[in-house]
Amino acid sequence: MFDELISHLINARRCVVLTGAGISAESGVPTFRGKEGLWGKFKPEQLASMDAFMASPKIVWEWYNWRRELMGQVRPNAGHLALVEMETLFEEFDLVTQNVDGLHAMAGSKSILELHGNIYRNKCVDCDGIFEFRGDIAPDNIPQCGHCGGKIRPDVVWFGEMLDPEIIDAAFAQSEQADVFFSIGTSAEVHPAATLPVVAKNHGATLVEINVEETTLTELADFHFIGKSGDLLPKLVAQLKERRSLAQFPELA
Ligand code: OAD
């Protein structure tokens, strides 16, 4: 199934992977789009925007407490773990994620750029001071910043907000230098994240998509595989490892 792709991977020096909510779906974290997705049940502008927070920090924190609790109960799945192994198979490997669940780090991936923040981190709405705190925030008694007295919010990117320029710039730089770029478990509908695969392809990378369904990116991809990342990635990594060792020790072939 992966034979032709693996011939490309064998010669690739730098691999960049972009992940979205789909890679955590098999861990039990809901995705955003589609019938079962969070944005099918909730209105993003009422929960994930600065306006919503200023209007009702209580409702916003109740929602984030619920998501934290849910994410706190889940573990990395076979897809996250396969990416940890994949990191060892390339000279350079970068993981860029839109997910805020921290599951890539928990799995053991090292070079991770979290484009949309991390749900376990908090920051001050006024001075951007960072507060690491994983537990629930009392929605009726939201903590204030010790430096300036501003309200504490989750350190995730909300609708209408800019991404951290250092992080997104680094992601673009990595994508431009990629020999192979994987887009895994993302609908590729949210920019600037969805621009990264396009930039990689325009700079000569082989573009690979893994998703349970086709996306707007599928047409551009050199290879696309329909299936669950937790099924496909371990198989791909096993085949790549085998081909890499055969390439190293041709006498075994
Ligand atoms: P989406 O919910 O938009 O897309 C999830 C994708 O994962 C879909 O294309 C599914 O088909 C696919 N999928 C589901 N299960 C899968 C599985 N087991 N294996 C592989 N693919 C699977 O999530 P994102 O693309 O991550 O932003 O959404 C991007 C951003 O939109 C999020 O980071 C969030 C949201 O609004 C912010 O919160 C800023």
Side-chain angles (χ1 to χ4, degrees):
M1 165 180 209
F2 297 116
D3 276 358
E4 202 189 332
L5 168 62
I6 285 176
S7 308
H8 286 257
L9 299 185
I10 288 289
N11 297 318
R13 201 182 67 79
R14 184 170 200 152
C15 175
V16 177
V17 175
L18 171 70
T19 62
I23 195 159
S24 296
E26 289 156 82
S27 293
V29 181
T31 58
F32 293 94
R33 292 173 183 79
K35 271 199 298 288
E36 297 301 314
L38 289 173
W39 297 152
K41 300 179 185 131
F42 303 102
K43 289 201 165 75
E45 63 279 10
Q46 288 175 1
L47 294 167
S49 74
M50 191 56 143
D51 284 350
F53 185 75
M54 291 326 249
S56 180
K58 181 175 185 296
I59 292 177
V60 172
W61 263 119
E62 278 170 352
W63 193 62
Y64 277 95
N65 280 342
W66 169 71
R67 288 184 65 204
R68 276 188 182 189
E69 206 177 305
L70 192 151
M71 288 178 187
Q73 289 164 9
V74 304
R75 308 283 309 160
N77 64 53
H80 297 105
L81 296 173
L83 290 181
V84 178
E85 227 178 330
M86 208 159 144
E87 191 163 339
T88 64
L89 300 176
F90 292 90
E91 223 171 283
E92 291 195 58
F93 183 92
D94 303 294
L95 181 53
V96 182
T97 188
Q98 296 164 87
N99 300 344
V100 298
D101 55 28
L103 288 176
H104 285 304
M106 193 189 279
S109 283
K110 290 190 190 74
S111 168
I112 311 169
L113 290 177
E114 290 180 320
L115 292 182
H116 294 163
N118 188 300
I119 201 160
Y120 298 113
R121 219 170 37 226
N122 314 294
K123 72 175 179 185
C124 170
V125 287
D126 291 330
C127 73
D128 282 344
I130 295 291
F131 302 88
E132 301 280 349
F133 179 69
R134 293 180 77 91
D136 275 10
I137 296 283
D140 287 313
N141 190 16
I142 294 165
Q144 291 181 332
C145 172
H147 306 295
C148 74
K151 282 198 176 67
I152 299 300
R153 58 165 277 184
D155 189 13
V156 295
V157 175
W158 280 337
F159 284 85
E161 292 184 331
M162 306 284 283
L163 275 57
D164 179 324
E166 266 183 42
I167 295 180
I168 188 64
D169 287 356
F172 273 109
Q174 290 169 358
S175 304
E176 284 170 14
Q177 290 161 28
D179 298 312
V180 58
F181 188 104
F182 282 83
S183 176
I184 303 174
T186 174
S187 57
E189 288 192 15
V190 174
H191 293 269
T195 313
L196 298 171
V198 181
V199 163
K201 169 99 184 182
N202 288 344
H203 281 76
T206 301
L207 180 58
V208 188
E209 180 176 61
I210 294 180
N211 199 304
V212 290
E213 61 188 22
E214 291 194 358
T215 73
T216 50
L217 196 67
T218 309
E219 215 167 83
L220 192 70
D222 298 291
F223 296 91
H224 80 272
F225 301 95
I226 299 284
K228 293 182 174 179
S229 44
D231 283 339
L232 296 181
L233 281 171
K235 289 179 187 148
L236 172 64
V237 169
Q239 284 186 33
L240 178 58
K241 270 172 78 173
E242 198 183 314
R243 282 280 294 278
R244 279 239 187 271
S245 44
L246 288 179
Q248 246 176 327
F249 305 106
E251 64 277 13
L252 296 177

